[in-house]
Amino acid sequence: MVLGYGKDGLGKALLYRSQDLKTWSFLGIAAESDGTMGDMWECPDLFSLGSEGRHALIISPMNMGATKTMYLTGEFDYETGEFRYDIADRLDHGSDFYAPQTFLDGQGRRLLIGWMNMWGSAMPEQANGWAGAFSVPRELKLADDGTLRMLPVEELQQLRANHRHVDRMLLAADTELIISNLRGDVLELIAVFKTNPSIPAGEFGLKLRCSDDGKEYTEVAFEPRERKLKVDRTFSGEGNGGTCEAYLANAADGLVRLHLFLDRSSVELFANGGEKTMTNRIYPKADSLGIKVFTRVCEAELESLEVWDLNLKR
């Protein structure tokens, strides 16, 4: 059993052992903060992943600024209980992802579900007796470099209905284009953009849940020169605003793939095959349903855009 703990300003994961699940003995400290990873590790989850005996530890560190969840990967000694990690990074780069837990399914996949909200944040849904929501189920995979990837489980494709496709589109600088047949608040979108890191400045992306008067929207933007991915909730309606950011590696094919799930008050973004994820809650008005593509300063090339309604009644 792994327990979260904090003492002297250091988060720790404690390990206990039992033969009967009634009497427990302390085995030791599996891992602890190096002084930069929060002062308390909540909701620890330690498990093996991949075929090379690697293990991952997922934690929710307290008092670590914008970082709400982390993962550590390395080697675990079952005799001593020591977890020696060599990679430590943020698990999700959004503002509303906390306390994730994993399990193995019948196919041997390591699946994860997180809580979409944060203590201390505004929760407009509390007026109706709610405090957050669950994320979509995600499959964890270990990349060749030891980092984690999170992908939406493939079974979510069974919810797809009413598919729409947008062909390749060249966008001039400072363009904002609403796509008339793309509207909705419960959608799956896959947008593929071609990047050009040599441009001097600028960004491009999508605006989601747009109001007809243009005052409400949630912006998903990518800056090719800095490889910076952003989700901006400044004009997303009620609740907390602000911007969250992550950086993507250069893809060999020069493309940026943005896979998004909208579910009325949530936006879950999976970028470049789960290299980075960003999870956020939004609270726009019910009739803010538009979808736009945009450029700012630079030109851009939209390779394709796939959109499905999600049939949640199945």
Side-chain angles (χ1 to χ4, degrees):
M1 177 172 62
V2 184
L3 292 180
Y5 180 75
K7 187 177 182 180
D8 300 326
L10 298 177
K12 302 181 182 185
L14 307 183
L15 199 64
Y16 288 80
R17 175 181 287 169
S18 174
Q19 297 294 327
D20 57 9
L21 302 183
K22 295 180 180 179
T23 303
W24 295 85
S25 58
F26 177 60
L27 188 58
I29 300 173
E32 62 182 305
S33 170
D34 61 3
T36 66
M37 294 186 287
D39 54 18
M40 167 66 185
W41 285 1
E42 289 199 320
C43 308
D45 190 359
L46 177 63
F47 51 87
S48 61
L49 189 66
S51 59
E52 302 300 323
R54 295 279 290 186
H55 283 67
L57 173 64
I58 290 177
I59 56 174
S60 296
M62 295 181 65
N63 299 315
M64 199 180 163
T67 299
K68 309 303 181 184
T69 56
M70 290 190 68
Y71 74 85
L72 295 73
T73 60
E75 306 296 332
F76 180 64
D77 188 323
Y78 279 85
E79 292 301 319
T80 65
E82 183 182 4
F83 177 61
R84 295 181 293 273
Y85 61 90
D86 48 32
I87 293 178
D89 202 354
R90 289 182 67 170
L91 180 63
D92 186 278
H93 293 257
S95 300
D96 296 298
F97 188 79
Y98 197 70
Q101 293 292 286
T102 74
F103 59 93
L104 281 176
D105 75 349
Q107 302 176 43
R109 299 177 299 179
R110 177 63 61 172
L111 303 186
L112 177 148
I113 296 176
W115 178 51
M116 290 195 297
N117 229 311
M118 280 301 307
W119 298 118
S121 65
M123 299 186 195
E125 69 269 26
Q126 286 185 329
N128 297 310
W130 298 94
F134 284 136
S135 70
V136 298
R138 308 172 179 199
E139 182 178 2
L140 288 180
K141 293 187 176 182
L142 193 67
D144 292 339
D145 62 0
T147 58
L148 284 190
R149 298 287 187 269
M150 283 200 294
L151 293 165
V153 295
E154 62 180 13
E155 286 86 349
L156 290 170
Q157 296 177 21
Q158 298 175 24
L159 302 177
R160 291 174 174 175
N162 189 25
H163 174 243
R164 283 91 83 198
H165 170 80
V166 177
D167 288 324
R168 180 173 175 268
M169 184 185 301
L170 296 176
L171 302 169
D174 297 312
T175 293
E176 185 170 289
L177 176 64
I178 187 166
I179 303 176
S180 59
N181 67 331
L182 300 185
R183 292 177 64 84
D185 57 1
V186 184
L187 301 172
E188 179 183 359
L189 305 93
I190 301 178
V192 180
F193 289 91
K194 188 172 184 179
T195 65
N196 181 4
S198 65
I199 63 174
E203 57 189 359
F204 54 78
L206 300 171
K207 291 187 177 183
L208 313 170
R209 298 297 308 275
C210 301
S211 61
D212 291 338
D213 61 8
K215 293 181 179 180
E216 274 192 346
Y217 58 87
T218 297
E219 184 176 286
V220 180
F222 183 70
E223 298 179 18
R225 185 177 62 172
E226 301 295 330
R227 305 294 302 177
K228 183 189 295 185
L229 180 65
K230 301 186 298 183
V231 176
D232 188 343
R233 300 185 297 168
T234 303
F235 302 102
S236 295
E238 295 184 62
N240 295 98
T243 301
C244 53
E245 302 177 346
Y247 292 86
L248 298 177
N250 284 308
D253 57 9
L255 300 178
V256 171
R257 295 174 172 85
L258 306 178
H259 192 171
L260 292 134
F261 288 82
L262 300 185
D263 188 5
R264 294 192 175 90
S265 65
S266 63
V267 179
E268 299 181 62
L269 168 60
F270 302 82
N272 283 2
E275 176 190 338
K276 295 290 169 61
T277 65
M278 305 174 84
T279 304
N280 291 281
R281 300 300 301 272
I282 58 172
Y283 302 92
K285 294 181 176 63
D287 59 356
S288 295
L289 300 172
I291 307 291
K292 298 178 181 180
V293 292
F294 77 92
T295 61
R296 191 170 293 123
V297 178
C298 66
E299 299 176 346
E301 185 174 338
L302 176 68
E303 289 286 303
S304 64
L305 176 60
E306 313 290 341
V307 181
W308 296 266
D309 294 327
L310 294 179
N311 185 357
L312 301 184
K313 295 181 180 180
R314 290 187 181 183

